Each structure stands twice: as structure tokens, then as C-alpha cells.
Amino acid sequence: MSDASEQNGNANGPGNSVRPTAAPPRNPDGASRTWRALRHRNFRLFFGGQTISLVGTWMTRVATAWLVYRLTKSALLLGTISFAGQIPTFIFAPFAGVLIDRLDRRQVLVWTQVLSMVQSLALAALTFSGHITIHWILGLSVLQGIVNAFDMPARQSFMVQMVEDRADLSNAIAINSSMVNAARLIGPSLAGMLIAVTSEGWCFLVDGISYIAVIVSLLMMRLPPAAVRRVATSTWTELRVGWDYVSQFLPIRTILMLFAVISLMGMPFIVLMPLFAAQVLRGGPHTLGFLMAANGCGALISAIWLASRKSVLGLIRVLPVAAAVFGFGLIGFGLSHTFWLSMITVFVAGMGMMLGMAASNTVIQTLVTDDKRGRVMSYYTMAFMGMAPFGSLLAGSLAHIVGAPLTVIVNGSAVILGAAWFTSRLPSIRKVVHPIYQEMGIIPAAKEMAAEQVQS
């Protein structure tokens, strides 16, 4: 469908589904506004359990990368393992989205947490016993990738059920991002210290145990009976409906295209972190932990800033700025050969990366209709996680030929070009989004604005 036809079509987007109207925003100040979503009991439980679990998850990510590097000393295999762990998301996420729209999302999440726990404990047992090999890491990474294909869209779709007041949804998404990045700040640092004094196996064990917290928090939630959607249409039909919605609705399509580019070209710099720590900066696992923590600290600051915002207004303009900041941070990181400058540049890259991720999530969750939420968030997962394996393989292969620094510089330049392209699309996006925000009560309708101007 052409851009013109989209701009002149129904503001609700393809499918003509009805969006719930947002509640009139309250005006809390200061800290109360920043953390307002925590007044919801279910979200508080999720916040507590998930914070503990995510620290373990980041420990496992760092430990896995370092273990692969220790066993192989290969940039190509670092990219290959990352590819194996993420490609299932690209393949299975759309099917997962259809099932998530039909099933009880809490039950889906409980099962994904149980399976993730089993995977981490298996890694721990193999590492402690001395039987760990690159083939075991490859197979268990594929298993975790399949689990993530269901877990990530289910988690994003479940957010709206944990926050009863729709006006607090954007704040809940920002707090969730803060939680992820607080864990990214703590987890890699702990992993670096543990690996330096013991072995990677302890990181995997801590991660496996940490899943108990989030499983308990999910089971303790008080939710209304799940409205399981019974449909007569086939899975392929549901897939097509979801794809038509995403591909024909200009704002969501453009956002997903931008972040597919960022995922393909920008995100893989994390895969190359062990090379920078060991070869460029001449450090060890503690250096890797510090770099990951600096990246997480920058991301945490962006997430807290987003949480302090009053509404979703203005976030679409933030997206290309965030992408450009991310790109320039990557270029700076690729050019740096000193520890302190590398810490600063990965901090800046983390700010831009998380600002874009959380802002795009908030905008999409605000625009999407509830009956397609699972499928749309599965395509969101594909754009972020599904493109990452191709990026990891590309980055690993390129780093093997030209080196990690030049690879990151090239990738950062591609991200900046993506930001420039998105900026050129902003006028068309605003024409579609403005009436939707008016319909939802996020901004006053034209007549109300005119009346206010007359009165003033």
C-alpha cells in the first residue's frame, strides 16, 4: 500500500480495529511520576522477580561469550554461537505471536522461564564437570533461542495485563527497560569477577537459580480469568493478518524497518566485546565486565529519563536522534584504543541503543490494537532479535578479515544512515499518528484546541 493511501485511510490502521482510549493522564511530580507504574501490584511482583532473574541472564551472556573465546580464540565462532542462539527467534517468532494471541500469556511465560532455567543449569553442569565443548554451547544456545522466540513477545504483550491503568503503560515499559539495564550494569560486573576467581560455571548456576524468582512472581499475580481467544481461522491466516497489519501501517512499519537495520548492523558490537577486551585493550574478563557495565549504565540513564516523561508525545522524534547517538558511539568505540575512552564511547552507545529500543516499544504498544498485540510484538521481536543473528554472523566474519575495530566503525556508519532515512519519513508518520493520538485522548482534538485558543 502506498504512503498516500495509508495517510488518507482509517487512523486505526489496517484491520479497522478499535483501540482502547487512554485514561486522562494524572499529573504526579518528581519521583512519583517516574515510578508510577509500580503502584500496580502485579507489575511490582514482575519488577521484583524479573530484576533478580535478569542479573543472572546477563551473567550467563557474558560467561558464554568469554567461554567461547577461551575455548576457541575465534571471532568467527563468537559470531556463529550468537547466530545459533538468535536465529530461532527469526524463524519462530511470527508463529509464537499467533499462539500468544490465543493462549494465556502468563502460562506461556511460566513455561518459558522453566525451560530457560533448565538450559542454564545444563550449562553449569557441563562446565563444572569439564565436559563443555563448543558443540554443547551451540546446541544449548539454539534451545534458548527457541524459548526466547516465545518468551519475548509474550513478555511484551503481557505488560498491558499487569498495568490496569492504560495511562501508566508507557511508564511501565520505561521502568522495565530501567530494570533490564540495571541488571546489565550489575550482571556483567559480577560475571567478570566470578570468572576471574572461579569459572564460567558459577555464572550459569546463579542464572539457573535466579529463574525461581520470576516464576514465583508470575504465580503470585492476581489476574482476571484469561480471555483465551478461540478462532476458527488457520495459523497461516492469522500470520497473514498480522503481517498485513504490520506491513501496511506506516508508523509501525517504518519503526520496525529502522530497528531491523540497527539490530543487523549495530547490536552485534556486543558479540565482539571479548575481542576488544582481550586484543584491543589487552585486558581480561574483568575488562569485559567493565565495558558491559558501562554500556548498561548509559542504557539505564536513558531508561530512567524515559520513565520520567509524562506521556508518549514526542517519542517518535526521539527515535532517529537515539539511532544517531548509538551510531556515533559505535564509531568512537571502534576508533578507541584506550580503556577510559572505550568506557565513555560504549556508555554513549548504550544511551542511544536503549533510548531507541524503549521509545520504539512504547510507541508501538500505544498504537497497536489489543487483538493483534501478540503478533505485532512478535514482529517487533523479529526486528530486534531476529535480525541480530545475521548481524552477528556478518560482524564475526568481517572482524575475522578486517578486525573488530573497523567492523564496528562500518556498522556505526550504517546506523547513522538509518537514522537519516527515518528522519526523512517523519512528516508522513506524523500525519498518520496525530489523529490516532487525538482519538485515544493523548492529545486534545482540533475543536478542543481551537476552543482553548479562543478562551485564552
Side-chain angles (χ1 to χ4, degrees), residues 181 184-185 292-302 347 351:
N181 289 288
R184 179 190 281 182
L185 182 62
M292 295 290 286
N295 186 252
C297 191
L300 178 61
I301 289 175
S302 288
F347 175 88
M351 287 182 64

Side-chain angles (χ1 to χ4, degrees), residues 438 441-456:
Q438 286 185 337
I442 295 174
I443 57 177
K447 291 182 179 179
E448 295 174 359
M449 294 175 64
E452 289 176 1
Q453 291 174 356
V454 170
Q455 290 175 359
S456 62

Side-chain angles (χ1 to χ4, degrees), residues 4 66 78 83 114 195 278 289 303 309 331 357 393-394 403 416-417 439 452:
W66 190 259
L78 275 171
F83 176 88
V114 169
I195 296 170
R309 288 176 53 88
I331 292 174
M357 288 175 62
L393 202 59
L394 177 63
I416 292 171
L417 289 175
E439 176 194 340
E452 289 176 1

Side-chain angles (χ1 to χ4, degrees), residues 149-197:
F150 290 83
D151 179 76
M152 295 185 67
R155 189 189 309 274
Q156 300 294 340
S157 302
F158 189 57
M159 193 73 66
V160 73
Q161 292 180 241
M162 291 185 289
V163 180
E164 293 87 355
D165 187 345
R166 196 59 168 268
D168 290 336
L169 179 59
S170 62
N171 181 251
I173 293 170
I175 290 176
N176 183 61
S177 299
S178 302
M179 171 177 60
V180 170
N181 289 288
R184 179 190 281 182
L185 182 62
I186 298 168
S189 302
L190 291 177
M193 290 186 290
L194 270 179
I195 296 170
V197 300

